[in-house]
Amino acid sequence: MEKKRGNEMTGREYKDGGNSRGDGKRREKGNWDEIGGDSRGRDNKSRENKSRDNMRWDGKVRVSKCRDDISSDSKGRDNKSSNVAAQNFIGKDSVSKRVKVRKDKIRSGRPSEGRGAAGRTSAGKYKDEEEKSAAGRSMFGKADGRSVSGRTISGKSMDGKSVAGRNMSGKSAYGKNVSQKYTSGQDKSSGRQQYDQRNKSVSKKNEVDAKSDIAQRSGRRETKCPYEKKCGSCRYLYLSYEEQLKKKEAFVRQELEKCPELKGHFNPIIGMENPWNYRNKITAIFDRDRKGNPVSGVYEEGTHNVIPVERCLIEDELADRIIGTIRGMLKSFKIKVYDEDIRYGLLRYVLVRRAFATGEVMVVLVTASPVLPSKRNFTNALLKAHPEITTVIQNVNTRTDSLILGDKQQVLYGKGYIEDVLCGCRFRISPASFYQINPVQTEKLYKKAIELAGLKGTETVIDAYCGIGTIGLIASSKAKNVISVELNPDAVKDAIVNAKINGIKNVRFYKADAGQFLTQMAEEGAKADVLLMDPPRSGSTEEFLQSAALLGPEKIVYISCNPVTLGRDLMVLRKLGYRAEEVWPVDMFPWSGHVEVIIVMSHCGLKNK
């Protein structure tokens, strides 16, 4: 064949106008069923280092058009009947298995009908390893200068158009459905057996069953939460609740067994009867999806990507419905959600707090600007949809950090706070107040802590990190005096009001740093009998613990939400002359990886021993 211009690697043009890239134009045929030579008269030896781009097929296969319809195969037969790829979609994995079956058949000497026989003799056997490799490339690599694997695997053709919807769904580059069988009786039977074994799960139902089977064999179980993998809050949803409690018990033991005196003093974890929808405080982050529609949910673990959440298994159901109503009202009131990247928009967060004992509900709209369009109409529409709401507040947050609430707020409806009942005491809760999110378990937690304190009515109790005064006010009925210390001014105001609401007069509240306050008390010669401390997750500080030791309380009841920092602080208290006596884990946050721990320590006077 005479070549006008070009080279072997790119765009060869022939007298008849065809080329090696299979553009659908007429070109010279080569007898490739028996490799005696190519269309330029060369023998096989000259093709030893030939590129995959030089492999060509016989016949008038219009591979470049196989994405839309295949006009004929190498024998000129009509393939319209095989153009059913869109109906045979079963995924990449199944296609790859079928391709392996075809490859096995070719290597076993089966001639491939309508697929070319490059690299084989007429008997279907390979002459040598070079021809075997060439045949492998022809069958699974190149056809008329185009990459078959490029379409069947990566979904790209030479012209850059995607054909994944067809070839990945089971259509071969030759117009044949990959699932078709060969005509030989014995090979057809063996091929059918291999096909059945490798393609058991071709429907969606079977794929789900396979995943479930894998989950069961790996000790996991299927969960009902569609956000589990991205959210990251509920790490133990794949376990039963009983298995989860055992796991948390083991975690507490692992972190606290470094104190040798605690061996044999670990008590069973206190769990919940119904560990679902226990959160009384929900914060929804608002954002937009790709279409510009408002969405609300939580941040994806480790990112600031918002996962749209319609319903959460651990959040209060009424709170979820209220958030959904607000999300649906935004368009009609022309309220844009805030975009933290460009710092544009109005609504940033919605905070909902519900008092389980009284049923009161607070809704806080956190905005980036104090201007809320049609705020009265918006509030009325929200109250009409949810008459359970007792107060609505607008909080203004103009900062760019990750804090939820700002410093300014305006009451749009109601009192501006809600009240709840815990352990027989009534508590006022404002938007920024610290209040335990699981009131059912909080009662168990506080009752156990006060029981371990062993109060007889004659003790002076210090409630460090008191918040709105919950545990101190509850313990006041069994103590002579309670001194409560808190750094947050809003929490101190609520605590003073809570004491008045409950008629409690033997509790005093101080706005101060707890460590500095205890040091000052020790310098003044004051004494305390019991120290109740409930620090944040970061734990206490060595300065605070040293200040506490200066007061010399007989007992320290340490409530911790982080066993890791608790173990660290215990080692400091041991050096200061305190001995750990008892450990009680409490499951305050079911399905999450967090666990609350109560530990009681007594003063033994043996410092550094």
Side-chain angles (χ1 to χ4, degrees), residues 220 228 232-239 301 591-593:
R220 299 178 64 93
E228 177 192 3
S233 295
C234 300
R235 299 183 181 277
Y236 293 147
L237 276 176
Y238 68 94
L239 297 173
E301 186 178 20
W591 310 111
S592 74

Side-chain angles (χ1 to χ4, degrees), residues 297-311:
V298 297
Y299 286 128
E300 183 178 353
E301 186 178 20
T303 72
H304 265 217
N305 301 325
V306 177
I307 305 171
V309 176
E310 298 289 337
R311 176 179 174 269

Side-chain angles (χ1 to χ4, degrees), residues 501-553:
I501 291 173
N502 293 280
I504 298 173
K505 298 181 179 180
N506 62 338
V507 180
R508 289 173 292 171
F509 296 95
Y510 297 90
K511 176 191 171 298
D513 177 79
Q516 295 176 1
F517 183 83
L518 295 186
T519 301
Q520 184 179 351
M521 283 185 64
E523 291 174 351
E524 295 175 357
K527 293 293 182 180
D529 301 302
V530 177
L531 172 63
L532 299 174
M533 52 185 296
D534 187 3
R537 285 190 58 79
S538 58
S540 187
T541 63
E542 190 169 351
E543 293 76 15
F544 172 84
L545 298 176
Q546 289 174 349
S547 301
L550 290 175
L551 284 176

Side-chain angles (χ1 to χ4, degrees), residues 370-596:
V371 180
L372 180 61
S374 304
K375 63 177 67 176
R376 181 175 298 178
N377 293 335
F378 185 88
T379 302
N380 291 337
L382 180 60
L383 293 173
K384 184 178 180 180
H386 297 282
E388 308 94 340
I389 299 174
T390 55
T391 185
V392 180
I393 303 165
Q394 179 191 2
N395 180 276
V396 181
N397 183 358
T398 58
R399 295 191 301 263
T400 58
D401 52 28
S402 59
L403 293 178
I404 303 296
L405 297 177
D407 299 326
K408 298 180 180 180
Q409 62 186 34
Q410 177 185 3
V411 178
L412 304 180
Y413 172 78
K415 302 174 292 184
Y417 60 86
I418 59 175
E419 293 183 355
D420 199 10
V421 177
L422 189 67
C423 295
C425 294
R426 196 174 187 90
F427 296 97
R428 176 180 292 188
I429 306 166
S430 61
S433 297
F434 172 76
Y435 190 72
Q436 292 282 5
I437 63 170
N438 188 341
V440 176
Q441 291 297 90
T442 301
E443 286 208 3
K444 299 177 182 179
L445 179 77
Y446 287 170
K447 286 180 179 179
K448 178 58 68 175
I450 295 171
E451 175 189 331
L452 294 173
L455 300 177
K456 299 177 181 178
T458 60
E459 297 85 0
T460 296
V461 178
I462 295 178
D463 179 14
Y465 312 99
C466 72
I468 61 174
T470 48
I471 191 169
L473 292 173
I474 294 170
S476 63
S477 61
K478 298 183 179 181
K480 180 181 180 181
N481 296 305
V482 177
I483 300 172
S484 298
V485 187
E486 174 59 47
L487 187 60
N488 187 323
D490 294 330
V492 173
K493 291 178 182 178
D494 286 338
I496 294 172
V497 172
N498 290 332
K500 292 180 179 178
I501 291 173
N502 293 280
I504 298 173
K505 298 181 179 180
N506 62 338
V507 180
R508 289 173 292 171
F509 296 95
Y510 297 90
K511 176 191 171 298
D513 177 79
Q516 295 176 1
F517 183 83
L518 295 186
T519 301
Q520 184 179 351
M521 283 185 64
E523 291 174 351
E524 295 175 357
K527 293 293 182 180
D529 301 302
V530 177
L531 172 63
L532 299 174
M533 52 185 296
D534 187 3
R537 285 190 58 79
S538 58
S540 187
T541 63
E542 190 169 351
E543 293 76 15
F544 172 84
L545 298 176
Q546 289 174 349
S547 301
L550 290 175
L551 284 176
E554 291 299 320
K555 281 189 177 181
I556 296 178
V557 179
Y558 193 135
I559 301 173
S560 171
C561 57
N562 188 349
V564 177
T565 56
L566 173 60
R568 178 200 66 197
D569 293 345
L570 286 183
M571 302 307 293
V572 176
L573 288 170
R574 289 182 78 246
K575 294 179 181 180
L576 295 172
Y578 285 87
R579 176 185 178 85
E581 293 182 344
E582 201 170 350
V583 179
W584 283 89
V586 181
D587 189 23
M588 288 285 290
F589 316 102
W591 310 111
S592 74
H594 303 303
V595 58
E596 204 91 1

Side-chain angles (χ1 to χ4, degrees), residues 8-12 19-23 27 50-57 61 63-64 137-138 141-149 151 157-159 174:
E8 293 183 4
M9 297 299 295
T10 59
R12 288 174 292 188
N19 58 42
S20 64
R21 295 188 180 273
D23 56 2
R27 62 182 180 275
K50 192 173 182 61
S51 167
R52 292 171 60 182
D53 288 336
N54 294 331
M55 299 304 301
R56 300 189 301 277
W57 298 85
V61 183
V63 183
S64 62
R137 289 197 301 269
S138 297
K142 294 290 179 177
D144 292 322
R146 289 178 301 280
S147 172
V148 176
S149 60
R151 283 189 293 272
S157 62
M158 290 296 292
D159 59 2
Y174 320 102

Side-chain angles (χ1 to χ4, degrees), residues 145-440:
R146 289 178 301 280
S147 172
V148 176
S149 60
R151 283 189 293 272
T152 57
I153 304 302
S154 64
K156 291 289 184 179
S157 62
M158 290 296 292
D159 59 2
K161 295 182 180 179
S162 173
V163 292
R166 295 177 174 81
N167 284 340
M168 288 192 69
S169 62
K171 177 83 72 173
S172 72
Y174 320 102
K176 296 286 184 179
N177 191 291
V178 178
S179 62
Q180 289 179 343
K181 301 298 174 293
Y182 303 101
T183 56
S184 173
Q186 183 177 357
D187 287 343
K188 180 177 180 180
S189 176
S190 61
R192 182 69 184 183
Q193 185 177 2
Q194 292 179 19
Y195 174 82
D196 290 339
Q197 290 175 352
R198 300 186 185 187
N199 296 277
K200 293 181 180 179
S201 300
V202 295
S203 67
K204 185 176 181 179
K205 179 179 181 300
N206 288 341
E207 289 176 2
V208 172
D209 292 342
K211 290 179 181 178
S212 177
D213 180 61
I214 293 172
Q216 290 176 3
R217 285 188 275 114
S218 62
R220 299 178 64 93
R221 68 182 183 91
E222 292 298 306
T223 67
K224 300 178 181 178
C225 180
Y227 321 109
E228 177 192 3
K229 293 182 179 179
K230 291 185 177 181
C231 173
S233 295
C234 300
R235 299 183 181 277
Y236 293 147
L237 276 176
Y238 68 94
L239 297 173
S240 68
Y241 188 57
E242 292 74 18
E243 292 172 328
Q244 174 193 160
L245 293 179
K246 292 179 181 179
K247 199 174 188 69
K248 290 185 177 182
E249 272 189 23
F251 173 60
V252 172
R253 286 177 179 271
Q254 176 185 342
E255 294 300 327
L256 301 184
E257 276 186 343
K258 61 184 71 174
C259 292
E261 64 268 22
L262 282 178
K263 292 185 178 180
H265 296 280
F266 288 90
N267 293 284
I269 190 170
I270 302 173
M272 288 190 74
E273 294 180 2
N274 179 20
W276 304 104
N277 305 112
Y278 58 83
R279 289 184 65 96
N280 60 9
K281 176 184 175 182
I282 295 91
T283 302
I285 305 142
F286 276 73
D287 200 356
R288 293 175 299 173
D289 61 15
R290 294 181 179 179
K291 296 181 180 180
N293 299 317
V295 296
S296 63
V298 297
Y299 286 128
E300 183 178 353
E301 186 178 20
T303 72
H304 265 217
N305 301 325
V306 177
I307 305 171
V309 176
E310 298 289 337
R311 176 179 174 269
C312 178
L313 298 177
I314 63 174
E315 293 177 351
D316 179 63
E317 293 179 297
L318 175 59
D320 282 344
R321 292 197 296 270
I322 291 172
I323 292 170
T325 300
I326 293 173
R327 185 174 60 246
M329 293 168 54
L330 296 181
K331 279 191 175 181
S332 58
F333 283 90
K334 298 181 180 180
I335 297 176
K336 295 185 179 297
V337 299
Y338 182 77
D339 189 326
E340 64 179 9
D341 294 328
I342 62 175
R343 300 180 185 178
Y344 176 78
L346 183 62
L347 186 63
R348 302 184 69 169
Y349 312 99
V350 171
L351 170 67
V352 180
R353 305 189 82 152
R354 178 170 174 250
F356 283 12
T358 62
E360 297 182 4
V361 178
M362 173 198 296
V363 176
V364 183
L365 307 172
V366 184
T367 60
S369 167
V371 180
L372 180 61
S374 304
K375 63 177 67 176
R376 181 175 298 178
N377 293 335
F378 185 88
T379 302
N380 291 337
L382 180 60
L383 293 173
K384 184 178 180 180
H386 297 282
E388 308 94 340
I389 299 174
T390 55
T391 185
V392 180
I393 303 165
Q394 179 191 2
N395 180 276
V396 181
N397 183 358
T398 58
R399 295 191 301 263
T400 58
D401 52 28
S402 59
L403 293 178
I404 303 296
L405 297 177
D407 299 326
K408 298 180 180 180
Q409 62 186 34
Q410 177 185 3
V411 178
L412 304 180
Y413 172 78
K415 302 174 292 184
Y417 60 86
I418 59 175
E419 293 183 355
D420 199 10
V421 177
L422 189 67
C423 295
C425 294
R426 196 174 187 90
F427 296 97
R428 176 180 292 188
I429 306 166
S430 61
S433 297
F434 172 76
Y435 190 72
Q436 292 282 5
I437 63 170
N438 188 341
V440 176

